Amino acid sequence: MSPLPPALAAALPRQHLLTDPATVAPYRHDEAEWAPYGTPLAVARPSTTAEVAAIVSACADHRIPVVTRGAGTGLSGGANAVDGCVVLSTERMRDIVEIDPAERLAVVQPGVVNDDLRAAAAKEGLWYPPDPASAPWSTIGGNVATNAGGLCCVKYGVTRDYVLALEVVLADGQVVRLGRRTAKGVVGYDLAGLMVGSEGTLGVVTEVTVKLRPARTTAPRTVVGFFDSLPAAGDAIARVTAAGLQPAIFELVDRVCLQAVNDWKRAGLPTGAAALLLAQTDLPEPAAEYEAEQIHAAFLAAGASEAMLSTDPVEAEALFDARRLAYPALEQLGQAMLTEDVCLPRGRIAQMLARIEQIAAQRDVVIATVAHAGDGNLHPLMLTPHGDDAARVRTQAAFDDIVDAALDLGGTVTGEHGVGLLKRDGALRELGPTVVAMHRAVKAALDPHGILNPGKVIA
Amino acid sequence: MSPLPPALAAALPRQHLLTDPATVAPYRHDEAEWAPYGTPLAVARPSTTAEVAAIVSACADHRIPVVTRGAGTGLSGGANAVDGCVVLSTERMRDIVEIDPAERLAVVQPGVVNDDLRAAAAKEGLWYPPDPASAPWSTIGGNVATNAGGLCCVKYGVTRDYVLALEVVLADGQVVRLGRRTAKGVVGYDLAGLMVGSEGTLGVVTEVTVKLRPARTTAPRTVVGFFDSLPAAGDAIARVTAAGLQPAIFELVDRVCLQAVNDWKRAGLPTGAAALLLAQTDLPEPAAEYEAEQIHAAFLAAGASEAMLSTDPVEAEALFDARRLAYPALEQLGQAMLTEDVCLPRGRIAQMLARIEQIAAQRDVVIATVAHAGDGNLHPLMLTPHGDDAARVRTQAAFDDIVDAALDLGGTVTGEHGVGLLKRDGALRELGPTVVAMHRAVKAALDPHGILNPGKVIA
């Protein structure tokens, strides 16, 4: 182990600068199966912006790469270490600095867990909508880095739609504030927005100001539909959109997931169904009742084999278990799970689901799909027995096929997980050489020595 | 007049490349009073992306500045010509390429007028919310360039919140597509978002893809309150926010505007009022009724001298006339009108209004204020007799004082009009040298020869 440069060693108390390989090991990668990762020089755990600035400044002087990391729940390898880097963990930056009900905003350090922000906002009658499935563990900083989505996005937007301002440590260690605290503002370029989704390649976010909404006060109504064919489910999604409906949640769970949940929990879900659609409306009553009835009617018109409405929160939760339990039920199978994240035009969802079924058959890979149906954001989950190299090759081929199919159908290779390492090739193809060159020019402008999360996104 | 470079002359049919000084004159500046403007080499009126690319490419080869212009309704000088430039007018690029109800999006050329897009969307049961006061004349391209706001922003967001994708001609004449057609997507940096609000300094937008919402079907309810003091009106704004209410429109009209409307239209508005607040709710009934009553109660609790509710569209329109007629009523006074555009934290609105009154008195300038109250976005309108140089000096001083006061109170120098030329000094102060350096690095990365709208924003 090479010794740390003195300026880096002096940036933090010794106990927050980890170099022991065993201690460092858990910081080497996120949750992306198979994305490569290297061996960091050290893991830094700063608690203040000044400490982050000192670390980045020292790293800049010595051209040491800086890989910023939140909770490590990423699914694309964006937080994976590169050899000789400093992993900058925000785990100690967990202060909720301010919740201001008058301005409807919150200011937090990047290591604040999403659910903790939501709980603190709720105490003030406010709501932070972005709700990635990782909300109990993932951090706001990580959510900002990937522009995280979630269930509520279909009506309420993604992380970028809530970021008002950022404090950022630049590649040379300077600290800047980008964005604003006001409701509106157009002074200069949207550099705060540029940072959102840049996966730590343009700066290290040290404070996040987000807008909040008034808390919802009505109990949601839930509508559920089972469909015998994927085209019928796709037709139901299209009918809901065409009818001008705006469900607050609109999810799809496919046959493989339903079977896994049944097998694990004896849930008694219809085994013949090709897909389950779950929708919630949160309009004030009686508009919610009307919207729920219209969604129900759209499901039936599209040929749902079974469709039902619920206002009972307990019953609604039980229906949503099919969605919530899909991941853990699949995990019960004890296989490696590679998570896809393509996003399609809504009108192409049924086609894409059919392509995924074909790919699963052709490549002999088990693929289970959950989807933010209303957004066209599909998560095909590919299962591979551990230690089966041939299966792994087939899974990688299926992964590539899905990326190809998404691009072929006018979609994007990543809807909410980010490019990281897993989607680099797909991103290069999706964007094309001129737009890639724009990215590299912007990256070079803001990080001329390329020390910030090198090799990620397309930088 | 120097002859046009052959490549430029060949880029367009002769009749769409204007060089006659009289024909060119109307293209020299936008509606910003007093912002400087130069003499263009030519005005180009392309109708296709290929023509735009040919113009920009020719200009790039000869280092000729390109100033892109929509309808010229800008209020900051962003579209003002510089000497020897080509003014690239998008006035002939007025095709509504596509409205897709299934994907809830529209694709338009940049010269499409805002209201024309709104009308086309309405035919499909859809709605494009951003509604600047210039909507009958201003173009979507201009709205994108300035990230335009409007009345509905307080609930529905600004132009950036609706831009999904852009086709852009880069500074070297290359054509790129940025963004996506899907509901979500996180592939690479948000370069489409970076273009929004960049006022033609990073590229020339040749096509805009915007998301649409389902059309609203309920008749809005209107609530009106007159207040004897600015602090009382400020308190009413704060109470509406604190109560978790979300009016779809929430405007303020001050004493000077009310008087002007009264004088012009004998409108019979209360002459003693310091301010009028106008709110609309568009929730489905009966939630709208409840929200309207809560707004009404907040107005009364804050000490409104008079407050009323209306569901009658004709009556509501009459009440909104005080807002709508403020500009034309002030124009009747036959003076130069300099439009300010500061945006404050909501809790500082009353303080800012008081500061504006003080500044008006100290500088001996008539200042009338309308405001998007719910956003804290204030438009103090400064009136100056034509030809009165001393008054003009006082007005400029008042303008600078207002910028100072806004920054002092934690606001921004421009909420929705853009930096252009008028707010350059304020923008430099607001952003500070490090963030300004970031802007210049990004500008240099994407426009290395500085030909795109030089001197605007902070480039």
Side-chain angles (χ1 to χ4, degrees):
Chain A
M1 177 75 63
S2 58
L4 299 180
L8 180 57
L12 278 180
R14 191 68 195 88
Q15 72 270 29
H16 296 306
L17 202 56
L18 315 175
T19 53
D20 174 63
T23 324
V24 163
Y27 294 88
R28 294 179 65 194
H29 61 81
D30 64 17
E31 293 181 10
E33 295 279 351
W34 306 343
Y37 52 90
T39 303
L41 177 68
V43 173
R45 305 193 307 160
S47 64
T48 68
T49 299
E51 287 178 348
V52 173
I55 294 162
V56 174
S57 180
C59 288
D61 288 344
H62 295 273
R63 306 286 190 265
I64 297 170
V66 176
V67 178
T68 307
R69 175 192 174 89
T73 59
L75 291 163
S76 296
N80 283 13
V82 298
D83 284 332
C85 77
V86 168
V87 171
L88 195 158
S89 167
T90 62
E91 68 199 288
R92 294 177 61 238
M93 303 183 76
R94 296 178 83 131
D95 280 356
I96 295 176
V97 179
E98 179 186 2
I99 296 204
D100 185 335
E103 306 296 337
R104 283 186 191 156
L105 60 79
V107 181
V108 300
Q109 285 192 303
V112 168
V113 168
N114 180 300
D115 270 357
D116 292 345
L117 168 58
R118 292 154 66 85
K123 281 188 193 161
E124 304 290 340
L126 295 166
W127 177 42
Y128 177 67
D131 59 345
S134 59
W137 313 283
S138 68
T139 65
I140 297 299
N143 296 172
V144 167
T146 55
N147 189 21
L151 298 185
C152 290
C153 305
V154 64
K155 181 167 180 178
Y156 291 101
V158 295
T159 302
R160 176 174 288 116
D161 299 312
Y162 291 86
V163 173
L164 281 172
L166 297 173
E167 183 186 72
V168 177
V169 173
L170 301 180
D172 61 1
Q174 289 192 87
V175 182
V176 293
R177 298 199 70 88
L178 306 173
R180 60 187 198 276
R181 274 178 75 100
T182 50
K184 289 158 66 178
V186 293
V187 74
Y189 303 150
D190 184 13
L191 297 181
L194 183 66
M195 289 288 163
V196 178
S198 66
E199 304 187 34
T201 64
L202 301 178
V204 180
V205 172
T206 50
E207 193 180 270
V208 184
T209 302
V210 293
K211 70 175 89 158
L212 303 172
R213 297 177 64 96
R216 296 180 292 181
T217 50
T218 52
R221 284 176 179 261
T222 300
V223 189
V224 169
F226 290 94
F227 296 84
D228 290 342
S229 76
L230 294 176
D235 183 33
I237 297 166
R239 283 172 184 266
V240 167
T241 304
L245 305 171
Q246 297 188 286
I249 295 180
F250 194 8
E251 298 287 305
L252 176 144
V253 184
D254 86 340
R255 183 197 314 268
V256 184
C257 293
L258 291 174
Q259 189 63 52
V261 175
N262 263 350
D263 290 347
W264 185 37
K265 291 288 183 184
R266 305 194 182 286
L269 298 165
T271 50
L276 161 66
L277 288 181
L278 290 152
Q280 270 192 353
T281 165
D282 63 355
L283 291 175
E285 296 291 352
E289 182 180 5
Y290 180 67
E291 185 164 66
E293 283 167 358
Q294 285 188 292
I295 295 169
H296 186 251
F299 285 6
L300 291 176
S305 55
E306 199 179 336
M308 55 202 128
L309 292 157
S310 174
T311 51
D312 176 15
V314 177
E315 186 179 298
E317 283 303 296
L319 291 166
F320 264 88
D321 271 352
R323 168 71 175 89
R324 199 175 356 255
L325 296 177
Y327 270 86
L330 293 164
E331 280 177 345
Q332 295 299 312
L333 304 178
Q335 303 193 2
M337 188 155 66
L338 189 62
T339 305
E340 250 294 352
D341 177 44
V342 291
C343 191
L344 281 293
R346 295 181 188 92
R348 300 291 179 87
I349 298 172
Q351 273 174 277
M352 185 68 202
L353 290 168
R355 295 278 279 267
I356 293 168
E357 285 201 330
Q358 284 167 12
I359 291 164
Q362 284 163 1
R363 298 294 185 181
D364 187 19
V365 173
V366 175
I367 306 182
T369 298
V370 292
H372 306 306
D375 286 322
N377 187 192
L378 276 56
H379 296 311
L381 309 166
M382 280 158 271
L383 298 172
T384 313
H386 288 291
D388 182 340
D389 288 345
R392 184 169 159 156
V393 170
R394 294 198 306 274
T395 298
Q396 186 60 52
F399 184 92
D400 295 341
D401 288 350
I402 289 172
V403 166
D404 288 344
L407 292 177
D408 184 38
L409 292 172
T412 175
V413 301
T414 176
E416 60 180 8
H417 292 171
V419 173
L421 293 168
L422 289 184
K423 289 298 174 70
R424 272 179 60 97
D425 290 348
L428 293 172
R429 269 186 290 153
E430 179 173 339
L431 297 172
T434 311
V435 178
V436 167
M438 288 177 75
H439 278 73
R440 291 185 173 147
V442 169
K443 166 74 172 175
L446 299 180
D447 179 18
H449 301 301
I451 67 160
L452 296 176
N453 211 8
K456 310 300 171 57
V457 193
I458 55 174
Chain B
M1 177 77 62
S2 58
L4 300 181
L8 180 56
L12 278 179
R14 190 69 194 86
Q15 72 270 29
H16 296 307
L17 201 57
L18 315 176
T19 53
D20 175 61
T23 324
V24 163
Y27 294 88
R28 293 179 65 194
H29 60 82
D30 64 19
E31 293 180 11
E33 295 278 350
W34 306 344
Y37 52 89
T39 303
L41 176 67
V43 173
R45 306 192 307 159
S47 63
T48 67
T49 300
E51 287 177 348
V52 174
I55 294 162
V56 175
S57 180
C59 288
D61 288 345
H62 296 273
R63 305 287 189 265
I64 297 170
V66 176
V67 178
T68 307
R69 175 192 174 90
T73 58
L75 291 163
S76 296
N80 283 14
V82 298
D83 284 333
C85 77
V86 167
V87 171
L88 194 159
S89 168
T90 62
E91 69 199 288
R92 294 178 60 239
M93 303 182 77
R94 297 178 83 129
D95 280 355
I96 295 177
V97 179
E98 178 186 4
I99 296 204
D100 185 335
E103 306 297 335
R104 284 187 190 155
L105 60 79
V107 181
V108 300
Q109 284 192 304
V112 168
V113 168
N114 180 301
D115 269 357
D116 292 344
L117 168 58
R118 292 153 67 84
K123 281 188 194 159
E124 304 290 339
L126 294 165
W127 178 42
Y128 177 68
D131 59 345
S134 60
W137 313 283
S138 68
T139 64
I140 297 299
N143 295 172
V144 167
T146 56
N147 189 19
L151 297 186
C152 289
C153 305
V154 65
K155 182 167 180 177
Y156 292 102
V158 295
T159 302
R160 177 175 286 116
D161 299 313
Y162 291 87
V163 173
L164 281 172
L166 296 173
E167 183 187 71
V168 177
V169 173
L170 300 180
D172 61 2
Q174 290 192 87
V175 182
V176 292
R177 297 198 72 87
L178 306 173
R180 60 186 198 278
R181 275 178 73 99
T182 49
K184 290 157 66 179
V186 293
V187 74
Y189 303 150
D190 184 14
L191 297 180
L194 183 67
M195 290 289 163
V196 178
S198 67
E199 303 186 36
T201 64
L202 300 178
V204 180
V205 172
T206 49
E207 192 180 271
V208 184
T209 303
V210 293
K211 69 175 89 162
L212 303 173
R213 297 177 64 96
R216 295 179 294 181
T217 51
T218 52
R221 284 175 179 262
T222 300
V223 189
V224 169
F226 291 93
F227 296 84
D228 289 342
S229 76
L230 294 175
D235 184 32
I237 296 165
R239 283 172 185 265
V240 167
T241 305
L245 305 172
Q246 297 188 286
I249 295 179
F250 194 9
E251 298 288 305
L252 176 144
V253 183
D254 87 341
R255 182 197 315 268
V256 184
C257 293
L258 291 174
Q259 190 62 53
V261 175
N262 263 350
D263 290 348
W264 185 35
K265 291 288 183 184
R266 304 193 184 285
L269 299 165
T271 51
L276 161 66
L277 289 180
L278 290 152
Q280 270 191 355
T281 163
D282 64 354
L283 291 175
E285 295 292 353
E289 181 181 5
Y290 180 68
E291 185 164 66
E293 283 168 358
Q294 285 187 292
I295 295 169
H296 186 251
F299 285 5
L300 291 176
S305 55
E306 199 179 336
M308 56 203 128
L309 291 156
S310 174
T311 52
D312 176 15
V314 176
E315 185 180 298
E317 283 302 296
L319 291 166
F320 264 89
D321 271 352
R323 169 70 176 91
R324 201 177 353 258
L325 296 177
Y327 270 86
L330 293 164
E331 280 177 344
Q332 295 298 313
L333 303 177
Q335 303 193 0
M337 189 154 67
L338 188 61
T339 305
E340 250 294 352
D341 176 45
V342 291
C343 192
L344 280 294
R346 295 182 188 93
R348 300 291 180 86
I349 297 172
Q351 274 174 277
M352 186 68 203
L353 289 168
R355 295 278 280 268
I356 293 168
E357 285 201 330
Q358 286 167 13
I359 291 164
Q362 284 164 1
R363 299 292 186 183
D364 188 20
V365 173
V366 176
I367 306 182
T369 298
V370 292
H372 306 305
D375 287 323
N377 187 192
L378 276 57
H379 296 311
L381 309 166
M382 280 158 272
L383 298 171
T384 312
H386 288 292
D388 182 339
D389 287 345
R392 183 168 159 157
V393 169
R394 295 199 305 275
T395 298
Q396 185 62 53
F399 184 92
D400 295 341
D401 288 350
I402 288 173
V403 166
D404 289 344
L407 292 177
D408 185 37
L409 292 172
T412 175
V413 300
T414 176
E416 59 180 9
H417 291 172
V419 173
L421 292 167
L422 289 183
K423 289 298 176 69
R424 272 180 59 99
D425 290 347
L428 293 171
R429 270 186 290 154
E430 179 173 339
L431 296 172
T434 311
V435 178
V436 168
M438 288 177 75
H439 278 74
R440 291 186 173 147
V442 169
K443 166 74 171 174
L446 299 180
D447 178 20
H449 301 301
I451 66 160
L452 297 176
N453 211 6
K456 311 299 171 59
V457 194
I458 54 175

